[in-house]
Amino acid sequence: MTETGRLDRILALEIARVTEAAAVAAARIRGRGDEWEADQAAVDAMRTELNRLPIDGRIVIGEGERDDAPMLFIGEEVGTKKGGVVDIALDPLEGTTLCVKNLPNSLAVIAFAERGSLLNAPDVYMDKIAIGPDFEPGLVGLDRSPADNIEALAQAKGVTPDRISACILDRPRHAKLIAEVRETGAAIQLIGDGDVAGVIHTTNPHETGVDIYLGVGGAPEGVLAAAALRCIGGQMEGRLVLDTPEKIDRAKRMSISDPQEIYKLDDLAKGDVIFAATGVTSGNMLDGVKFSPGRIDTHTVVMRSSSGTIREIRARHTDLAKFERP
Ligand code: VTB
Ligand code: MG
Ligand code: MG
């Protein structure tokens, strides 16, 4: 943090190196079918790059526990320790399956926040709902049925529900949700993975065709998506799925006392937040990494909540030694 109580604005540029490195490492394994290798490559590259940053960083949200995949550990300390104190949420490769099948929307993602301002959630599932900016607060919510939410959104947009498109993860657990949404007449964009992108897509329905995100995905991805919405605008709610005594216990140890609590955007990520994502495979929001002899191109979005600035960084890298694995 700087003296003004905000994250150092320089970090909003430096953070791009971290997701660029992870995205390049993962993209080398794109389409090769090996999920473990892809996660490991992204994790290693992200850790190396984080440790070069002038921050006193602590990982508070990491994805991988749930699938027993390679990860940066919750509680792990990163950075040179010679800079500001930050809490970090990350998913070095969000949408691993998309990456190894070379399908759209896999990303390297990270968020920095002031200490104590990200929800300290275990890597369990989270029920989520999100819509873009420009709607009255509380227009949709997890305490209402999917049909009520779709109808409220349609009304606010001045259209009939059949003009609404919902993004939902294609999972058997969503059979009932999908049926209920279809019943309203709304269309569904079923995604294989990648709900960080899915949630962010609600902020730009014109480009993405997604008006609302619904359903159960990873909790780390929920906190990361919330960090992005804090910068772009939009509404989101999340509720952890704590459906076994073991998960309730794990959450309690992270100071979560009410297993049913519905978290609003500011409960998921409050204070000053910086978010960055680099495309691994091309998608609606970002281009994937492009390789050619002597050159690698990356496409990154960096956002900062305190200013609301959204920067797209298209980088042409020719010093390729920096991407070699240590
Ligand atoms: C979602 C998806 C992610 O995990 O969060 C998902 O958006 C939830 O887990 O890309 P399941 O795959 O078990 O449904 C990912 O697929 C991977 O992080
Ligand atoms: Mg991942
Ligand atoms: Mg993920």
Side-chain angles (χ1 to χ4, degrees):
M1 257 198 290
T2 62
E3 285 152 29
T4 61
R6 288 187 175 170
L7 294 169
D8 190 333
R9 64 206 286 258
I10 298 291
L11 280 181
L13 295 173
E14 289 286 330
I15 196 172
R17 295 182 206 283
V18 177
T19 51
E20 282 174 1
V24 169
R28 292 196 199 279
I29 290 128
R30 212 164 43 190
R32 291 180 207 285
D34 190 334
E35 301 205 353
W36 183 272
E37 200 190 349
D39 273 330
Q40 188 72 64
V43 165
D44 290 348
M46 194 169 258
R47 179 180 282 122
T48 303
E49 229 28 74
L50 272 174
N51 280 326
R52 289 185 177 140
L53 281 193
I55 52 167
D56 182 354
R58 185 180 65 184
I59 314 279
V60 296
I61 289 279
E63 180 260 12
E65 221 179 324
R66 212 170 0 107
D67 309 321
D68 205 13
M71 65 186 288
L72 279 129
F73 298 95
I74 294 176
E76 188 171 333
E77 299 198 345
V78 292
T80 62
K81 299 274 161 77
K82 293 198 184 88
V85 173
V86 292
D87 275 0
I88 301 172
L90 47 77
D91 191 347
L93 181 51
E94 155 56 359
T96 305
T97 312
L98 299 174
C99 170
V100 303
K101 291 183 175 172
N102 211 345
L103 291 170
N105 287 318
S106 67
L107 310 169
V109 192
I110 198 165
F112 290 166
E114 295 172 76
R115 182 122 309 168
S117 59
L118 298 173
L119 176 74
N120 261 327
D123 185 5
V124 294
Y125 285 123
M126 178 186 273
D127 197 6
K128 309 171 194 180
I129 185 166
I131 55 174
D134 310 324
F135 297 108
E136 151 209 346
L139 181 69
V140 298
L142 287 176
D143 58 349
R144 276 148 278 165
S145 71
D148 284 354
N149 285 319
I150 300 271
E151 266 150 35
L153 181 61
Q155 209 166 38
K157 287 179 77 110
V159 298
T160 45
D162 63 338
R163 301 287 296 279
I164 296 294
S165 174
C167 180
I168 299 177
L169 274 168
D170 192 3
R171 295 290 186 276
R173 64 175 177 265
H174 289 150
K176 184 160 164 267
L177 170 65
I178 291 168
E180 279 179 48
V181 170
R182 291 221 164 104
E183 188 66 23
T184 67
I188 301 177
Q189 191 178 112
L190 276 176
I191 54 169
D193 290 279
D195 69 350
V196 173
V199 168
I200 297 175
H201 287 164
T202 64
T203 64
N204 189 5
H206 182 75
E207 287 296 324
T208 63
V210 173
D211 298 297
I212 182 168
Y213 181 86
L214 292 167
V216 174
E221 286 86 349
V223 173
L224 281 160
L229 290 206
R230 282 288 322 290
C231 304
I232 319 172
Q235 296 183 35
M236 178 174 173
E237 286 184 0
R239 178 170 43 206
L240 297 172
V241 181
L242 299 169
D243 50 2
T244 65
E246 188 268 329
K247 287 181 201 163
I248 293 176
D249 219 48
R250 237 161 87 206
K252 265 203 188 122
R253 276 185 265 120
M254 299 176 92
S255 308
I256 291 166
S257 49
D258 176 5
Q260 298 292 329
E261 184 163 353
I262 294 177
Y263 298 99
K264 304 236 182 261
L265 194 56
D266 286 324
D267 305 320
L268 296 166
K270 59 174 179 285
D272 194 11
V273 182
I274 298 172
F275 172 95
T278 302
V280 176
T281 55
S282 290
N284 276 332
M285 178 169 60
L286 293 165
D287 287 342
V289 179
K290 295 193 181 84
F291 295 96
S292 51
R295 171 173 163 189
I296 298 175
D297 291 4
T298 54
H299 187 193
T300 302
V301 64
V302 179
M303 317 172 186
R304 191 163 160 248
S305 67
S306 61
S307 59
T309 310
I310 299 172
R311 277 194 181 81
E312 283 190 38
I313 304 175
R314 287 186 182 274
R316 177 190 295 191
H317 309 271
T318 49
D319 169 20
L320 305 188
K322 70 183 177 196
F323 293 123
E324 292 311 317
R325 292 174 80 164

